[in-house]
Amino acid sequence: MKYFEWQLLVENRWQRIDNDHVIEAHYCQPGAKGITINTSMGKIFIDFDTLETSNEDFRVQRLCLLPSDQEEEVGWYFRDDHLWCEYGSKGPGTSISSKDIEHHFTLYPQGSLRFTVGSNGYSMDFSTMTQKNLVTGLQRNIRRRPKFPSNTAGLYTTTVLAGPTQLSAPGSKWEFMGDQGQWTEYQAHICSCDSSDIEREYKLNPQGKLHFTTHKYSYTLDFSRMCQVNHVFGTTRAVRRTAGSRVQPGNRKTRVAFPVRTLNSS
């Protein structure tokens, strides 16, 4: 089930952006400032912090399509010295989690929230999306982003995964979601591991993690969440595991509205 939809307001009418899974995949990364898309009306930059576009003639919105009895999983992040870190992800010393913050934000979207980490007290301001150390006065930016479920990734490609019992076949292929919204296989000439290396580690511990590097950055591949995390920017990409001969054509139909092609994101 698709749980989101991105739309542009054009001539007083909200119209769906085609291939909006590309936007969603970037939006779910806390380190992404925004994305530039190509439409039939030219290039448009979408600012993820403000949900505004670079063209004042167009407005953008993201709809949550989940049933009323289901809650969207949301992550809250603060900007550390170099990384975007999720609240509660650094162990028991953190007294607050994304779920706690989201609950308070739902009740008081323009309010504030106080919490402690060890002996330090902090205040979080939802109106300015900042966190302040109450002793030192140091401020950090914070962000609220939905989480991209790994089990929905197959809905947004031209193929779908075979059933779980079929994924143990030899020759499994490991891929990550690339900038253009396409699945890209891990290859040894690009990073320090390829599909065979990842498959070997996965079979040893299907709930474990694998650290690897490319020419520029280092990453962690999390098998339990089926995603990779950039150690520098904290950005997350969906990951999937397929058995090449058992991937079957999908039956998802594409509705044409505003064709979108990712140009860049930050």
Side-chain angles (χ1 to χ4, degrees):
M1 179 185 71
K2 184 180 178 184
Y3 67 98
F4 63 86
E5 183 168 293
W6 287 82
Q7 299 178 339
L8 280 178
L9 182 64
V10 182
E11 296 180 350
N12 297 318
R13 179 187 172 193
W14 287 106
Q15 300 188 40
R16 199 199 110 192
I17 303 175
D18 197 30
N19 296 326
D20 56 351
H21 65 278
V22 179
I23 303 174
E24 183 71 9
H26 283 282
Y27 183 58
C28 291
Q29 301 175 17
K33 168 66 176 174
I35 191 170
T36 300
I37 62 174
N38 244 353
T39 74
S40 56
M41 298 161 289
K43 298 176 183 178
I44 296 176
F45 177 76
I46 299 174
D47 187 312
F48 288 155
D49 287 333
T50 62
L51 284 186
E52 296 178 348
T53 72
S54 56
N55 189 324
E56 61 183 14
D57 294 331
F58 304 107
R59 292 171 54 194
V60 65
Q61 69 176 5
R62 175 188 180 273
L63 302 180
C64 177
L65 305 181
L66 286 174
S68 58
D69 60 342
Q70 294 185 31
E71 293 184 0
E72 184 174 37
E73 187 177 6
V74 173
W76 282 84
Y77 307 86
F78 64 93
R79 175 72 176 183
D80 205 340
D81 293 335
H82 302 290
L83 302 173
W84 283 95
C85 304
E86 184 174 3
Y87 286 93
S89 64
K90 290 194 172 183
T94 305
S95 66
I96 198 166
S97 66
S98 287
K99 187 175 181 180
D100 299 327
I101 301 171
E102 181 66 14
H103 175 72
H104 196 85
F105 175 77
T106 302
L107 297 175
Y108 311 103
Q110 295 298 316
S112 61
L113 174 64
R114 291 197 173 193
F115 63 97
T116 60
V117 179
S119 59
N120 296 316
Y122 297 87
S123 177
M124 184 180 300
D125 189 330
F126 296 137
S127 62
T128 61
M129 292 298 282
T130 57
Q131 163 194 296
K132 183 178 181 180
N133 186 309
L134 298 179
V135 176
T136 65
L138 177 65
Q139 286 199 131
R140 298 187 185 276
N141 292 325
I142 63 176
R143 281 180 176 168
R144 174 183 183 266
R145 297 289 171 84
K147 294 190 175 181
F148 196 86
S150 59
N151 61 358
T152 63
L155 293 174
Y156 311 123
T157 66
T158 56
T159 60
V160 296
L161 296 180
T165 58
Q166 298 177 324
L167 294 180
S168 59
S172 293
K173 183 165 64 173
W174 285 84
E175 300 170 305
F176 63 89
M177 177 66 77
D179 290 338
Q180 304 298 324
Q182 298 178 340
W183 290 105
T184 303
E185 185 177 5
Y186 290 91
Q187 297 181 12
H189 70 280
I190 297 176
C191 61
S192 61
C193 61
D194 58 17
S195 286
S196 60
D197 298 322
I198 299 172
E199 180 68 11
R200 182 168 55 253
E201 292 294 324
Y202 174 78
K203 287 182 176 179
L204 291 174
N205 185 4
Q207 297 300 313
K209 297 179 180 180
L210 172 64
H211 300 287
F212 66 95
T213 61
T214 64
H215 301 305
K216 294 183 178 180
Y217 303 112
S218 60
Y219 301 84
T220 293
L221 199 163
D222 189 328
F223 296 135
S224 63
R225 296 171 54 200
M226 291 302 283
C227 69
Q228 75 171 35
V229 180
N230 184 304
H231 292 171
V232 175
F233 300 109
T235 53
T236 302
R237 293 182 185 272
V239 170
R240 73 174 185 178
R241 174 179 181 256
T242 65
S245 62
R246 298 188 180 185
V247 174
Q248 301 172 349
N251 57 7
R252 177 180 179 270
K253 294 182 179 179
T254 301
R255 181 169 59 134
V256 177
F258 291 103
V260 53
R261 178 171 63 85
T262 307
L263 296 179
N264 56 65
S265 62
S266 54

